[in-house]
Amino acid sequence: MSEQKTVLIVEDEKNIVDILRFNLMREGYRTLEAYDGEDGLNKARSENPDLILLDVMLPKMIGFDVCRTLRQEGNNVPVIILTAREEEADKVLGLEIGADDYITKPFSMRELIARVGANIRRSAMISASSAETSMPVSGDLSINTDSHQVYRAGKAIDLTQREYELLTFLASHPNKVYSRVDLMEQVWNYGYVGDDVRTVDVTVRRLREKIERDPANPVYILTRRGAGYYFSV
Ligand code: CA
């Protein structure tokens, strides 16, 4: 690793923190730890980590509130939520409040390290790739790729980082249909996807709610039944 990256671990179970710290350090990461939500939020603000591993059930402030607060403050640090169980509601809520990813406990360390790496690389790629300024898009939708701002009829639309990436990816390949597995690989940078393709559906639904006039009858991001999603022009 050319430049050492810092991972902030926000988790109240000390044995999990110890295992995470050990494995992340072995992979060349610097780690910071916080054992409650308030301290996690403070360290996220003051230490500027490259990624946050965020437990949900935490003393003082739950993980969802930590993530929501950071996003409200305009902080786009990649956040991976650590969910205690395979709970659909937790995953959906996590993605809706702007988390980039989630991983279910008990997790395989190999999987977690892969996700940490993928999310840090993706975030670095985005900050480096602001060469193109404006993307031709459909109807009254426009994207400024310098400011990462999306407009509909001249009105700014507030998207999460992931929603923005999904939209720009699809819009830059108009009318090409991508399966959910394709999108997991291209937009989420995952080699292994398993049943996580549901993440794509949730993100598409959120995106439609924001960019479409009538989310139930979308005109931009369309579904090709049994095949996937595409940006229609
Ligand atoms: Ca906990």
Side-chain angles (χ1 to χ4, degrees):
M1 204 171 299
S2 52
E3 185 198 341
Q4 196 177 31
K5 302 292 185 186
T6 301
V7 176
L8 171 59
I9 304 164
V10 188
E11 165 66 75
D12 57 328
E13 286 174 61
K14 189 168 185 313
N15 59 335
I16 296 182
V17 174
D18 289 346
I19 293 166
L20 287 170
R21 182 206 292 117
F22 173 78
N23 281 278
L24 287 164
M25 286 177 72
R26 199 172 56 178
E27 295 293 321
Y29 294 100
R30 179 176 165 251
T31 63
L32 296 163
E33 296 88 36
Y35 292 90
D36 66 65
E38 263 177 33
D39 190 35
L41 181 59
N42 289 334
K43 287 197 165 110
R45 288 167 171 158
S46 63
E47 304 286 336
N48 227 359
D50 296 288
L51 182 137
I52 301 176
L53 291 173
L54 184 59
D55 185 29
V56 175
M57 297 311 293
L58 289 165
K60 296 189 183 172
M61 183 184 232
I62 67 165
F64 291 137
D65 289 341
V66 173
C67 183
R68 189 183 287 121
T69 305
L70 288 170
R71 296 301 185 242
Q72 281 166 356
E73 293 172 355
N75 190 326
N76 282 324
V77 59
V79 172
I80 301 178
I81 299 264
L82 305 173
T83 59
R85 284 173 297 149
E86 188 74 20
E87 281 209 2
E88 197 66 18
D90 271 13
K91 293 179 184 177
V92 173
L93 180 59
L95 296 169
E96 287 183 349
I97 58 163
D100 296 86
D101 207 350
Y102 56 83
I103 195 158
T104 308
K105 295 182 201 170
F107 43 78
S108 98
M109 198 47 70
R110 199 162 147 236
E111 172 75 357
L112 183 128
I113 294 289
R115 299 263 185 119
V116 166
N119 278 278
I120 288 181
R121 278 195 303 279
R122 190 180 46 74
S123 141
M125 250 158 48
I126 290 152
S127 33
S129 71
S130 302
E132 43 191 329
T133 49
S134 150
M135 191 179 279
V137 284
S138 182
D140 55 4
L141 201 67
S142 67
I143 302 173
N144 183 320
T145 54
D146 275 341
S147 60
H148 286 198
Q149 185 62 61
V150 174
Y151 300 89
R152 193 184 65 203
K155 191 171 177 295
I157 298 171
D158 192 25
L159 300 183
T160 67
Q161 183 92 330
R162 189 76 75 178
E163 289 160 357
Y164 172 82
E165 286 161 25
L166 179 63
L167 175 63
T168 51
F169 178 79
L170 288 172
S172 60
H173 306 86
N175 294 329
K176 181 164 166 45
V177 179
Y178 287 93
S179 72
R180 295 182 298 174
V181 171
D182 288 340
L183 291 171
M184 282 307 282
E185 288 174 358
Q186 299 287 329
V187 181
W188 276 259
N189 278 340
Y190 289 170
Y192 166 81
V193 291
D195 58 359
D196 288 348
V197 289
R198 168 98 175 97
T199 302
V200 176
D201 299 332
V202 172
T203 310
V204 166
R205 181 168 57 79
R206 295 287 297 169
L207 190 51
R208 280 175 175 159
E209 282 167 6
K210 293 179 179 181
I211 67 171
E212 303 280 356
R213 287 182 197 286
D214 178 6
N217 296 292
V219 298
Y220 297 118
I221 295 180
L222 304 191
T223 305
R224 174 73 41 85
R225 201 172 295 273
Y229 297 107
Y230 64 104
F231 188 88
S232 171
V233 293

